[in-house]
């Protein structure tokens, strides 16, 4: 790390040698067969983490789906785990595995994703993958069916209600612990931010109730018999979400780094639990934002004391058993919103900021391309920290060049990158997004 820090030179212009090396490293990305080198690079890695620079880009989803299908068919991947809520994603899991009363279609199941931002998973591109998973699983023994799970920690109330439902059916004498937790959270009316603010003003919290609920469910987990082998896992996972979500929201109003670490720690723990559930030969595909997938040690996140899923996966499983794959774009369109809970919009994704990695890759190739980072294939200046675009669900494209870029040592943060020169927005299943707006008249060079 000390060596990398000496090479930090923000805004440094790329030399012809670096551009030439990037051109030599890049492979064209046009058809599924072009993923062959990446399939070979992933090899027998137990975890393939697939990122995205935005939550609303069609190509990121379609290429991740194409890669996931190949990893399932050719490499025996056991499940897909995404940056989504456990209860919502578990409904998708029930559908793809053909469980009783699991829903009539992928689109019907995905439309039940009603927590903002709905377009992250409730879109046509994900629906196509979910239907493929359903067909792939048909006729297979239960232990060979590929699952679909959520890694995130936001679903406090939904998970608490799911625990109540399980206990009512399987262990009614354990309901008092669930009711005590429910009564504790009830005054906040499903508003996690209200709960978080309340813990600042009042020392008491619902932490003890959440911990006791998890202990009770863990004691009772073998009694749950629904959904085959998933049934023994689901109740405990929902109780774990309740405990960790309570900790996340309590930390959120005190420290950005602390709440981030609670969230990514929960995602890493959930990934490990899923791998354990699928046995020694289980292999995971993860879909999450680049900020979760790329190793935080090679960004400025490390200076803020933040860790992330990619870093934890490498540390826990070993770098040779983990593949970190990023997705980025130079320009195009994207689905996002201008404020939390606001109506989604199709927005312009401006061209990459000068001297950013997006700008360099466009200049070096000007096409969709795959780069696999190998020791010795790039000059030393590739280890300089350059901006790498990261767009969230709230986005203001007119200010893109003044933010949204994470200082990154790209060849160390990831093992590979799929780069789209011009992107398109995903197609949401919910209400149609607002019509695309004209870019501001100073676009793309100012405010």
């Amino acid at each position: 790390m000390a060596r990398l820090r000496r090479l930090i030179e923000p805004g440094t212009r790329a030399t012809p040698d670096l551009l030439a090396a990037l051109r030599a490293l890049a492979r064209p990305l046009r058809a599924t067969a072009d993923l062959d080198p990446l399939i070979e690079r992933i090899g027998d890695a137990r975890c393939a983490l697939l990122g995205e620079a935005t939550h609303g880009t069609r190509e990121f989803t379609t290429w991740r789906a194409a890669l996931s299908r190949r990893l399932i068919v050719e490499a025996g991947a056991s499940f897909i785990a995404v940056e989504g809520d456990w209860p919502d994603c578990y409904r998708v899991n029930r559908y793809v595995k053909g469980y009783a009363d699991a829903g009539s279609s992928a689109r019907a199941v995905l439309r039940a994703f009603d927590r903002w931002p709905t377009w992250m998973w409730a879109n046509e591109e994900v629906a196509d993958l979910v239907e493929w998973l359903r067909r792939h699983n048909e006729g297979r023994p239960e232990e060979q069916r590929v699952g679909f799970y959520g890694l995130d920690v936001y679903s406090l109330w939904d998970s608490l209600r799911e625990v109540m439902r399980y206990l009512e059916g399987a262990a009614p004498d354990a309901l008092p612990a669930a009711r005590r937790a429910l009564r504790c959270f009830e005054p906040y009316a499903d508003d996690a931010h209200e709960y978080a603010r309340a813990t600042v003003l009042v020392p008491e919290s619902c932490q003890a109730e959440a911990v006791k609920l998890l202990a009770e469910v863990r004691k009772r987990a073998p009694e749950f018999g629904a959904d085959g082998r998933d049934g023994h896992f689901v109740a405990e996972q929902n109780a774990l979400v309740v405990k960790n979500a309570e900790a996340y929201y309590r930390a959120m109003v005190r420290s950005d780094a602390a709440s981030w670490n609670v969230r990514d720690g929960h995602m890493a723990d959930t990934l490990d639990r899923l791998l354990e559930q699928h046995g020694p030969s289980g292999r995971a595909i993860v879909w999450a934002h680049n900020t979760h997938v790329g190793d935080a040690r090679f960004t400025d996140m490390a200076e803020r004391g933040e860790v992330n899923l990619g870093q934890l996966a490498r540390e826990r499983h070993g770098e040779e058993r983990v593949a970190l794959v990023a997705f980025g774009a130079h320009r195009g369109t994207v689905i996002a919103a201008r404020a939390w809970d606001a109506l989604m919009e199709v927005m312009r994704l401006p061209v990459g900021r000068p001297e950013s990695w997006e700008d360099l890759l466009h200049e070096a190739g000007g096409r969709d391309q795959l780069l696999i980072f190998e020791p010795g294939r790039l000059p030393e200046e590739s280890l300089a920290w350059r901006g790498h675009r990261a767009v969230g669900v709230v986005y203001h494209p007119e200010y893109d060049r003044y933010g949204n870029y994470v200082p990154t040592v790209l060849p160390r943060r990831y093992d590979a990158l799929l780069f789209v020169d011009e992107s398109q927005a995903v197609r949401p299943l919910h209400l149609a997004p607002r019509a695309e707006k004209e870019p501001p008249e100073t676009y793309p060079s100012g405010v």
Side-chain angles (χ1 to χ4, degrees):
M1 291 296 291
R3 176 61 173 165
L4 295 175
R5 291 184 186 281
R6 285 198 295 272
L7 290 170
I8 298 173
E9 298 175 3
T12 301
R13 292 190 62 81
T15 65
D17 286 347
L18 177 56
L19 292 173
L22 289 171
R23 289 189 191 101
L25 191 65
R27 299 171 169 92
L29 192 60
R30 296 164 301 211
T32 304
D34 295 329
L35 296 172
D36 286 353
L38 182 55
I39 296 291
E40 183 179 352
R41 169 60 185 82
I42 293 172
D44 62 356
R46 197 168 189 208
C47 304
L49 277 61
L50 313 183
E52 58 181 355
T54 84
H55 287 307
T57 297
R58 186 182 307 177
E59 289 82 1
F60 298 165
T61 305
T62 54
W63 277 114
R64 289 196 297 185
L67 180 55
S68 297
R69 287 193 295 268
R70 290 196 60 180
L71 290 172
I72 290 166
V73 173
E74 300 171 33
S78 312
F79 61 88
I80 298 174
V82 306
E83 184 188 340
D85 292 338
W86 178 267
D88 286 342
C89 293
Y90 188 71
R91 285 193 289 271
V92 176
N93 179 69
R94 298 190 81 254
Y95 176 76
V96 301
K97 291 186 175 178
Y99 290 154
D101 303 318
S104 59
S105 70
R107 284 159 182 79
V109 174
L110 289 168
R111 283 195 183 96
F113 280 61
D114 57 4
R115 189 177 67 77
W116 193 93
T118 57
W119 66 87
M120 275 182 62
W121 305 115
N123 61 65
E124 294 287 352
E125 289 72 29
V126 170
D128 290 342
L129 174 63
V130 171
E131 291 291 8
W132 181 89
L133 286 169
R134 171 82 174 218
R135 293 192 301 272
H136 174 81
N137 285 335
E138 284 178 356
R140 295 177 182 271
E142 183 186 358
E143 65 274 11
Q144 294 180 17
R145 296 176 197 167
V146 177
F148 188 99
Y149 303 99
L151 295 175
D152 224 328
V153 75
Y154 290 131
S155 60
L156 195 161
W157 275 271
D158 285 346
S159 287
L160 182 53
R161 283 188 281 265
E162 286 297 311
V163 173
M164 292 283 293
R165 186 176 68 82
Y166 278 112
L167 292 178
E168 286 170 356
D173 58 325
L175 277 169
R179 291 194 179 111
R180 283 193 295 272
L182 186 63
R183 281 196 298 271
C184 186
F185 288 112
E186 208 166 29
Y188 307 103
D190 285 24
D191 188 334
H193 294 85
E194 183 64 27
Y195 172 73
R197 287 189 291 269
T199 64
V200 174
L201 301 173
V202 181
E204 290 80 10
S205 72
C206 299
Q207 180 183 13
E209 285 76 6
V211 171
K212 289 174 184 175
L213 176 61
L214 175 59
E216 186 68 27
V217 170
R218 279 180 167 160
K219 184 171 66 176
R220 305 282 181 163
E223 300 176 23
F224 303 134
D227 292 357
R229 68 174 185 171
D230 280 338
H232 297 289
F233 189 88
V234 175
E236 182 177 335
Q237 182 62 29
N238 274 308
L240 187 65
V241 170
V242 172
K243 182 185 83 69
N244 289 342
E246 187 279 331
Y248 171 80
Y249 289 117
R250 189 160 30 86
M252 185 177 65
V253 293
R254 292 172 171 82
S255 165
D256 288 340
S259 61
W260 176 275
N261 290 346
V262 169
R263 184 183 175 206
D264 273 56
H266 173 83
M267 289 198 280
D269 290 346
T270 300
L271 175 59
D272 289 349
R273 279 171 44 78
L274 286 164
L275 286 168
E276 182 179 1
Q277 172 74 359
H278 286 80
S281 61
R283 299 184 65 180
I285 301 168
V286 173
W287 289 26
H289 198 280
N290 286 343
T291 50
H292 299 293
V293 165
D295 192 326
R297 292 171 294 183
F298 302 101
T299 74
D300 63 345
M301 295 167 64
E303 297 177 354
R304 300 194 296 269
E306 294 175 350
V307 298
N308 69 356
L309 179 58
Q311 173 185 342
L312 293 172
R314 277 178 168 176
E315 291 174 343
R316 294 179 183 186
H317 299 282
E319 293 195 19
E320 71 285 353
R321 298 284 280 158
V322 174
L324 307 183
V325 182
F327 287 70
H330 177 247
R331 65 189 186 281
T333 58
V334 62
I335 292 282
R338 291 187 171 272
W340 195 262
D341 274 338
L343 189 63
M344 69 184 86
E345 301 180 24
V346 178
M347 298 183 183
R348 286 284 179 189
L349 188 71
V351 297
R353 190 168 73 185
E355 302 307 321
S356 67
W357 283 110
E358 285 72 16
D359 179 50
L360 264 62
L361 291 166
H362 171 72
E363 185 177 351
R367 61 180 181 179
D368 295 354
Q369 54 192 288
L370 166 65
L371 297 95
I372 298 175
F373 303 119
E374 304 167 11
R377 289 292 304 277
L378 289 172
E380 189 177 26
E381 70 171 294
S382 70
L383 301 182
W385 290 34
R386 295 181 181 275
H388 175 37
R389 181 150 51 194
V391 172
V393 290
V394 174
Y395 183 46
H396 296 273
E398 63 271 28
Y399 303 124
D400 184 84
R401 65 173 44 213
Y402 302 103
N404 300 306
Y405 285 82
V406 178
T408 294
V409 182
L410 201 73
R412 300 289 179 85
R413 185 179 178 186
Y414 310 109
D415 298 304
L417 169 72
L418 282 80
F419 184 73
V420 177
D421 204 55
E422 183 167 6
S423 70
Q424 301 177 75
V426 295
R427 297 168 295 165
L429 295 178
H430 287 283
L431 294 175
R434 289 176 182 163
E436 183 179 325
K437 294 186 174 181
E438 289 297 318
E441 63 179 42
T442 51
Y443 171 89
S445 58
V447 185

